Amino acid sequence: MSNDTSMQMEQKRVDDVVSEINMKEEKLLSKAGGLKESIIDLRKNFWEDVTVNLDEPDDVIETQASLKQQAELLAERERSHGEIGKELKILNRLKESPYFGRIDFTESPVNEKEQIYVGVASLMDRNEEEFLIYDWRAPISSLYYDFSPGEAYYDTSFGTISGEITLKRQYIIRQSKIKGMFDTGVTIVDGLLQDALGNNASTTMKSIVATIQKEQNKIIRNEHSKLLVVQGVAGSGKTSAVLQRIAYLLYRFRGSLNSNNLLLFSPNPLFSSYIANVLPELGETNISQTTFLDFLRNGIESSISIESPFEQMEYILTCRDKNVLAAREQNMKLKSSIDFKDILDDYITSLLSSGIQFRNITFQNRILISKERISDYFYSLEDVDSIPNRMEYVAKWLLKELRFHQEEEKKKDWVMDQIELLDKEAYLQAYYENQRVDEEDFSLEEDILRAEVIKKQFTPIRKKVKKFAFVHTLASYKQLFENQQTKDDDLWQIIAKLTLENISNRFLTWEDATAYRYFRGKLVGDKENRGVRHLFIDEAQDYTAFQYAYIKEIFPFTRLTLLGDINQAIYTYASKENPLVPEFIEGNHERILLTKSYRSTKQIVEFTKKFAPGGEMIEPFERDGDPPHIIMKDDNTESPVTLVNTIEKLQEKKFETIAIICKTLEESNQIYTLLKDNIAIKQINEDTYSFEKGIVVLPVYLAKGIEFDAVIIPDASSDHYHQESDRTLFYTACTRAMHSLTILSGHHPCIFLQEALN
């Protein structure tokens, strides 16, 4: 059969499938219209169809039953209408591109050949008897990802089905028309990637379901590992694979798992925006996303300011006082480690018998219950209970004590002055309360109004007690560093001094934030999160050993999926205790290594792997392009003319996303100021929440996980990237480029650029 004939037959099938989709759409739209009218009618006539009679107890019960029945009927119609809406969205998506793959599979021993078409959702024929399209997450679809033509099998709930794949075909379908078609073996995936990645980067990550490698499919379909670790080089498709893993899990366990049971820790808010459309493209609703910083903030008093990881990075990169920098680095090293967790645990154990700091409970600048009295009560309780349990007892005792003080305050003269300020509703309430007695009693009315005043005054205090505000957690944390200042340890003296200075300003460094949240949880309780069944952590190489220990404690029954790249560990102290490093992994886990880079052209990958920390493990993808362009300037100052000329040349090549990636925010601010009057440029900072096309300038630590058509490194000179610790920063910046990389440098290029040029 000729290629033209085959293409015609395949296009006819697409047309037939689209015809089926149109027919199903018409039926659903008709059904949706009828339901909508029914819902409107139900809402309009709700009370007319309800029997309302409140005279007798039996009538009340009948009325409640009638209300419940009518409400349930309305809810069911609304639910059905919502489901139809979801189905219509899926059909609309399928109409644009019904499927992307086909396999012809002959099952043994029946020898019946079946043509299996794989797409983003399942579709059955009009009689609901045969599958026209199989969802990419269905068990049978694993044949498409795991096998080349030849012997193959797939697992079902009924056992393993074996047979032979006689054809494996891939399609590019746009607007219901086949634009490309490949009969594939194991290597043709590269051919499709060549097409998929040869286009410009869109403002949201492209869905690459059609280009899943076998290794990526192992990530997606892993159901059993307590810990799944994905070490993937820059541009290897880690994030795409894990987002498809999320979609697969929601589909596979749709009866017991929903989007609320999954949580993603993303590296920054911009990244969350960047991937926002991926899951809907794959047929699922978005799951909860947050940064680890925001997660920590939710468990720390709002009056305490917390340094972000980006502020920590900026501090380390721009601090010019060597002594101050050395002290900070020592602080980071200790508080990122398990050793510091051990120090905290020992301190917490000592607090079982003494030392927890409390706050006075005050009212109108008077102490109602002193901190000493609270402490005495706490330490009078049995120490067999945990500290958080004892705090619960203290809170109950304090609420009881407050009731006594409320009664005492109610009798005082100041309350009468406050009664005059009460609103009309309070007076009406007092009047109606008074009518319940047989005769008017003005003293009762006054008593009710006094009680209302006291209630309003004491409600904020009671709320604070319920939130354990009577525990002075920060002072208790501070005490650790005050009490041990006498230790004969110069390093501890340096760390204690720095910590005490920060705490006095109610400020926590990034390395202190996790430690403080952990410590606070040990005092007042930090609920284990049992609702999250799967936690996904992107850029996992940037988490410290202490942070992982805390995550394991707060999510004890949660399956973890970690993805990252040790070559991009831009934050200090991604130590040997980081789970991306094999030696640390224990228990039921799987480790998957992705070594092939698809993001950048072969020339860019070959260039960057020469100075990558683990360059020998990076495999370039066969997609040709221009080699990186190196511009040597007369000096190291930023030249607006050079930058503008470079940008204009890139724009002539129709690149839609052009990024000037700087080492620091300080440098980013300088370049933005330099260029903003000459070109339309946007600056990305820590508070940027949306990703848009155009020319942007940003620090490298905010570019993690994002790709651009063209990247410009504005200063690669030796006095800018001068330390070995800058290697991962420079590598990360360069590997954001898909098609074009331009590097500017003075006469003395940094060592990493020299390594690439040699």
PDB file of all heavy atoms in Angstrom, residues 394-410:
ATOM      1  N   VAL A 394      -3.830  22.605  78.888  1.00  0.00           N
ATOM      2  CA  VAL A 394      -3.631  23.979  79.366  1.00  0.00           C
ATOM      3  C   VAL A 394      -4.667  24.908  78.735  1.00  0.00           C
ATOM      4  O   VAL A 394      -5.251  25.767  79.412  1.00  0.00           O
ATOM      5  CB  VAL A 394      -2.203  24.472  79.055  1.00  0.00           C
ATOM      6  CG1 VAL A 394      -2.056  25.953  79.414  1.00  0.00           C
ATOM      7  CG2 VAL A 394      -1.173  23.650  79.822  1.00  0.00           C
ATOM      8  N   ALA A 395      -4.910  24.740  77.429  1.00  0.00           N
ATOM      9  CA  ALA A 395      -5.885  25.585  76.732  1.00  0.00           C
ATOM     10  C   ALA A 395      -7.276  25.428  77.347  1.00  0.00           C
ATOM     11  O   ALA A 395      -7.992  26.425  77.565  1.00  0.00           O
ATOM     12  CB  ALA A 395      -5.918  25.236  75.246  1.00  0.00           C
ATOM     13  N   LYS A 396      -7.673  24.192  77.651  1.00  0.00           N
ATOM     14  CA  LYS A 396      -8.984  23.955  78.271  1.00  0.00           C
ATOM     15  C   LYS A 396      -9.055  24.608  79.650  1.00  0.00           C
ATOM     16  O   LYS A 396     -10.074  25.206  80.027  1.00  0.00           O
ATOM     17  CB  LYS A 396      -9.243  22.452  78.382  1.00  0.00           C
ATOM     18  CG  LYS A 396      -9.516  21.783  77.041  1.00  0.00           C
ATOM     19  CD  LYS A 396      -9.688  20.282  77.186  1.00  0.00           C
ATOM     20  CE  LYS A 396      -9.894  19.614  75.834  1.00  0.00           C
ATOM     21  NZ  LYS A 396      -9.969  18.131  75.948  1.00  0.00           N
ATOM     22  N   TRP A 397      -7.974  24.497  80.408  1.00  0.00           N
ATOM     23  CA  TRP A 397      -7.923  25.115  81.729  1.00  0.00           C
ATOM     24  C   TRP A 397      -8.016  26.642  81.623  1.00  0.00           C
ATOM     25  O   TRP A 397      -8.762  27.285  82.375  1.00  0.00           O
ATOM     26  CB  TRP A 397      -6.618  24.713  82.427  1.00  0.00           C
ATOM     27  CG  TRP A 397      -6.326  25.481  83.680  1.00  0.00           C
ATOM     28  CD1 TRP A 397      -6.967  25.377  84.877  1.00  0.00           C
ATOM     29  CD2 TRP A 397      -5.310  26.489  83.853  1.00  0.00           C
ATOM     30  NE1 TRP A 397      -6.419  26.251  85.789  1.00  0.00           N
ATOM     31  CE2 TRP A 397      -5.397  26.940  85.187  1.00  0.00           C
ATOM     32  CE3 TRP A 397      -4.339  27.030  83.018  1.00  0.00           C
ATOM     33  CZ2 TRP A 397      -4.555  27.923  85.690  1.00  0.00           C
ATOM     34  CZ3 TRP A 397      -3.490  28.003  83.518  1.00  0.00           C
ATOM     35  CH2 TRP A 397      -3.607  28.446  84.841  1.00  0.00           C
ATOM     36  N   LEU A 398      -7.314  27.220  80.654  1.00  0.00           N
ATOM     37  CA  LEU A 398      -7.331  28.674  80.475  1.00  0.00           C
ATOM     38  C   LEU A 398      -8.721  29.175  80.077  1.00  0.00           C
ATOM     39  O   LEU A 398      -9.175  30.220  80.560  1.00  0.00           O
ATOM     40  CB  LEU A 398      -6.306  29.089  79.415  1.00  0.00           C
ATOM     41  CG  LEU A 398      -4.835  29.007  79.843  1.00  0.00           C
ATOM     42  CD1 LEU A 398      -3.918  29.240  78.653  1.00  0.00           C
ATOM     43  CD2 LEU A 398      -4.530  30.021  80.950  1.00  0.00           C
ATOM     44  N   LEU A 399      -9.404  28.432  79.212  1.00  0.00           N
ATOM     45  CA  LEU A 399     -10.761  28.830  78.813  1.00  0.00           C
ATOM     46  C   LEU A 399     -11.711  28.810  80.012  1.00  0.00           C
ATOM     47  O   LEU A 399     -12.593  29.668  80.141  1.00  0.00           O
ATOM     48  CB  LEU A 399     -11.273  27.906  77.699  1.00  0.00           C
ATOM     49  CG  LEU A 399     -10.555  28.048  76.348  1.00  0.00           C
ATOM     50  CD1 LEU A 399     -11.006  26.948  75.389  1.00  0.00           C
ATOM     51  CD2 LEU A 399     -10.812  29.425  75.725  1.00  0.00           C
ATOM     52  N   LYS A 400     -11.491  27.828  80.880  1.00  0.00           N
ATOM     53  CA  LYS A 400     -12.302  27.754  82.107  1.00  0.00           C
ATOM     54  C   LYS A 400     -11.992  28.945  83.021  1.00  0.00           C
ATOM     55  O   LYS A 400     -12.904  29.575  83.587  1.00  0.00           O
ATOM     56  CB  LYS A 400     -12.008  26.438  82.823  1.00  0.00           C
ATOM     57  CG  LYS A 400     -12.893  26.178  84.031  1.00  0.00           C
ATOM     58  CD  LYS A 400     -12.569  24.821  84.638  1.00  0.00           C
ATOM     59  CE  LYS A 400     -13.416  24.565  85.888  1.00  0.00           C
ATOM     60  NZ  LYS A 400     -13.093  23.258  86.510  1.00  0.00           N
ATOM     61  N   GLU A 401     -10.721  29.277  83.155  1.00  0.00           N
ATOM     62  CA  GLU A 401     -10.313  30.426  83.969  1.00  0.00           C
ATOM     63  C   GLU A 401     -10.883  31.726  83.394  1.00  0.00           C
ATOM     64  O   GLU A 401     -11.301  32.618  84.148  1.00  0.00           O
ATOM     65  CB  GLU A 401      -8.784  30.508  84.026  1.00  0.00           C
ATOM     66  CG  GLU A 401      -8.127  29.429  84.856  1.00  0.00           C
ATOM     67  CD  GLU A 401      -8.385  29.626  86.348  1.00  0.00           C
ATOM     68  OE1 GLU A 401      -8.105  30.728  86.849  1.00  0.00           O
ATOM     69  OE2 GLU A 401      -8.886  28.682  86.996  1.00  0.00           O
ATOM     70  N   LEU A 402     -10.890  31.812  82.077  1.00  0.00           N
ATOM     71  CA  LEU A 402     -11.403  33.025  81.447  1.00  0.00           C
ATOM     72  C   LEU A 402     -12.895  33.207  81.705  1.00  0.00           C
ATOM     73  O   LEU A 402     -13.374  34.340  81.826  1.00  0.00           O
ATOM     74  CB  LEU A 402     -11.123  32.997  79.936  1.00  0.00           C
ATOM     75  CG  LEU A 402      -9.686  33.303  79.523  1.00  0.00           C
ATOM     76  CD1 LEU A 402      -9.484  33.061  78.027  1.00  0.00           C
ATOM     77  CD2 LEU A 402      -9.301  34.745  79.880  1.00  0.00           C
ATOM     78  N   ARG A 403     -13.624  32.095  81.811  1.00  0.00           N
ATOM     79  CA  ARG A 403     -15.056  32.200  82.129  1.00  0.00           C
ATOM     80  C   ARG A 403     -15.258  32.851  83.501  1.00  0.00           C
ATOM     81  O   ARG A 403     -16.162  33.665  83.704  1.00  0.00           O
ATOM     82  CB  ARG A 403     -15.719  30.822  82.079  1.00  0.00           C
ATOM     83  CG  ARG A 403     -16.022  30.355  80.659  1.00  0.00           C
ATOM     84  CD  ARG A 403     -16.990  29.184  80.646  1.00  0.00           C
ATOM     85  NE  ARG A 403     -16.414  27.965  81.207  1.00  0.00           N
ATOM     86  CZ  ARG A 403     -15.699  27.091  80.503  1.00  0.00           C
ATOM     87  NH1 ARG A 403     -15.455  27.304  79.216  1.00  0.00           N
ATOM     88  NH2 ARG A 403     -15.221  26.008  81.074  1.00  0.00           N
ATOM     89  N   PHE A 404     -14.391  32.479  84.440  1.00  0.00           N
ATOM     90  CA  PHE A 404     -14.447  33.082  85.780  1.00  0.00           C
ATOM     91  C   PHE A 404     -14.170  34.588  85.693  1.00  0.00           C
ATOM     92  O   PHE A 404     -14.888  35.404  86.287  1.00  0.00           O
ATOM     93  CB  PHE A 404     -13.413  32.405  86.693  1.00  0.00           C
ATOM     94  CG  PHE A 404     -13.174  33.134  87.980  1.00  0.00           C
ATOM     95  CD1 PHE A 404     -14.082  33.062  89.031  1.00  0.00           C
ATOM     96  CD2 PHE A 404     -12.031  33.917  88.143  1.00  0.00           C
ATOM     97  CE1 PHE A 404     -13.861  33.754  90.211  1.00  0.00           C
ATOM     98  CE2 PHE A 404     -11.803  34.616  89.321  1.00  0.00           C
ATOM     99  CZ  PHE A 404     -12.723  34.528  90.368  1.00  0.00           C
ATOM    100  N   HIS A 405     -13.134  34.969  84.931  1.00  0.00           N
ATOM    101  CA  HIS A 405     -12.788  36.387  84.801  1.00  0.00           C
ATOM    102  C   HIS A 405     -13.885  37.166  84.083  1.00  0.00           C
ATOM    103  O   HIS A 405     -14.128  38.345  84.394  1.00  0.00           O
ATOM    104  CB  HIS A 405     -11.461  36.543  84.057  1.00  0.00           C
ATOM    105  CG  HIS A 405     -10.263  36.207  84.897  1.00  0.00           C
ATOM    106  ND1 HIS A 405      -9.810  37.038  85.893  1.00  0.00           N
ATOM    107  CD2 HIS A 405      -9.451  35.116  84.912  1.00  0.00           C
ATOM    108  CE1 HIS A 405      -8.756  36.483  86.481  1.00  0.00           C
ATOM    109  NE2 HIS A 405      -8.521  35.308  85.907  1.00  0.00           N
ATOM    110  N   GLN A 406     -14.558  36.518  83.132  1.00  0.00           N
ATOM    111  CA  GLN A 406     -15.665  37.176  82.441  1.00  0.00           C
ATOM    112  C   GLN A 406     -16.786  37.544  83.423  1.00  0.00           C
ATOM    113  O   GLN A 406     -17.356  38.633  83.360  1.00  0.00           O
ATOM    114  CB  GLN A 406     -16.214  36.270  81.331  1.00  0.00           C
ATOM    115  CG  GLN A 406     -15.308  36.208  80.103  1.00  0.00           C
ATOM    116  CD  GLN A 406     -15.854  35.292  79.030  1.00  0.00           C
ATOM    117  OE1 GLN A 406     -15.232  34.308  78.685  1.00  0.00           O
ATOM    118  NE2 GLN A 406     -17.025  35.610  78.505  1.00  0.00           N
ATOM    119  N   GLU A 407     -17.096  36.600  84.320  1.00  0.00           N
ATOM    120  CA  GLU A 407     -18.142  36.860  85.312  1.00  0.00           C
ATOM    121  C   GLU A 407     -17.741  38.005  86.238  1.00  0.00           C
ATOM    122  O   GLU A 407     -18.574  38.836  86.622  1.00  0.00           O
ATOM    123  CB  GLU A 407     -18.429  35.588  86.123  1.00  0.00           C
ATOM    124  CG  GLU A 407     -19.158  34.508  85.351  1.00  0.00           C
ATOM    125  CD  GLU A 407     -20.510  34.985  84.850  1.00  0.00           C
ATOM    126  OE1 GLU A 407     -21.243  35.673  85.614  1.00  0.00           O
ATOM    127  OE2 GLU A 407     -20.834  34.700  83.675  1.00  0.00           O
ATOM    128  N   GLU A 408     -16.457  38.060  86.584  1.00  0.00           N
ATOM    129  CA  GLU A 408     -15.978  39.133  87.464  1.00  0.00           C
ATOM    130  C   GLU A 408     -16.046  40.487  86.752  1.00  0.00           C
ATOM    131  O   GLU A 408     -16.468  41.489  87.333  1.00  0.00           O
ATOM    132  CB  GLU A 408     -14.534  38.840  87.901  1.00  0.00           C
ATOM    133  CG  GLU A 408     -14.394  37.671  88.866  1.00  0.00           C
ATOM    134  CD  GLU A 408     -15.108  37.950  90.187  1.00  0.00           C
ATOM    135  OE1 GLU A 408     -14.828  39.010  90.788  1.00  0.00           O
ATOM    136  OE2 GLU A 408     -15.967  37.130  90.591  1.00  0.00           O
ATOM    137  N   GLU A 409     -15.611  40.514  85.490  1.00  0.00           N
ATOM    138  CA  GLU A 409     -15.585  41.771  84.740  1.00  0.00           C
ATOM    139  C   GLU A 409     -16.991  42.282  84.459  1.00  0.00           C
ATOM    140  O   GLU A 409     -17.221  43.491  84.382  1.00  0.00           O
ATOM    141  CB  GLU A 409     -14.829  41.581  83.406  1.00  0.00           C
ATOM    142  CG  GLU A 409     -13.342  41.330  83.542  1.00  0.00           C
ATOM    143  CD  GLU A 409     -12.594  42.527  84.124  1.00  0.00           C
ATOM    144  OE1 GLU A 409     -12.989  43.678  83.853  1.00  0.00           O
ATOM    145  OE2 GLU A 409     -11.619  42.307  84.877  1.00  0.00           O
ATOM    146  N   LYS A 410     -17.948  41.375  84.313  1.00  0.00           N
ATOM    147  CA  LYS A 410     -19.321  41.748  83.968  1.00  0.00           C
ATOM    148  C   LYS A 410     -19.938  42.677  85.021  1.00  0.00           C
ATOM    149  O   LYS A 410     -20.807  43.500  84.719  1.00  0.00           O
ATOM    150  CB  LYS A 410     -20.159  40.475  83.813  1.00  0.00           C
ATOM    151  CG  LYS A 410     -21.522  40.719  83.181  1.00  0.00           C
ATOM    152  CD  LYS A 410     -22.205  39.420  82.775  1.00  0.00           C
ATOM    153  CE  LYS A 410     -22.667  38.647  83.981  1.00  0.00           C
ATOM    154  NZ  LYS A 410     -23.537  37.492  83.620  1.00  0.00           N
TER     155      LYS A 410
END
